[in-house]
Amino acid sequence: MSTPVSPEVAAALISAQGVTPSVESAADDARFINMVLGNSAKAFAQLAFEDEPSGYVAAQERNAP
């Protein structure tokens, strides 16, 4: 992941769920998010995605005005 999640972003995400985070919990949540995304980035980058557009994208292009 190139841009780490800041405590402010973590706090905004938590607040959007109706929970009021403390400064400490937002910082802890940001560290956790960054750890999880950082650890999964290499495996995600190795997934074999389709070279051609997916069915959804192809349908969108086919039905475009």
Side-chain angles (χ1 to χ4, degrees):
M1 190 170 101
S2 60
T3 305
V5 174
S6 68
E8 293 79 20
V9 170
L13 292 169
I14 296 165
S15 296
Q17 301 303 312
V19 177
T20 304
S22 67
V23 174
E24 296 83 15
S25 69
D28 289 341
D29 293 335
R31 277 192 293 278
F32 177 76
I33 292 167
N34 290 319
M35 179 188 66
V36 169
L37 293 176
N39 289 337
S40 63
K42 184 177 179 183
F44 185 79
Q46 294 175 346
L47 292 175
F49 289 104
E50 300 175 35
D51 290 332
E52 71 277 355
S54 69
Y56 177 78
V57 173
Q60 290 274 329
E61 292 171 356
R62 197 171 36 249
N63 295 323

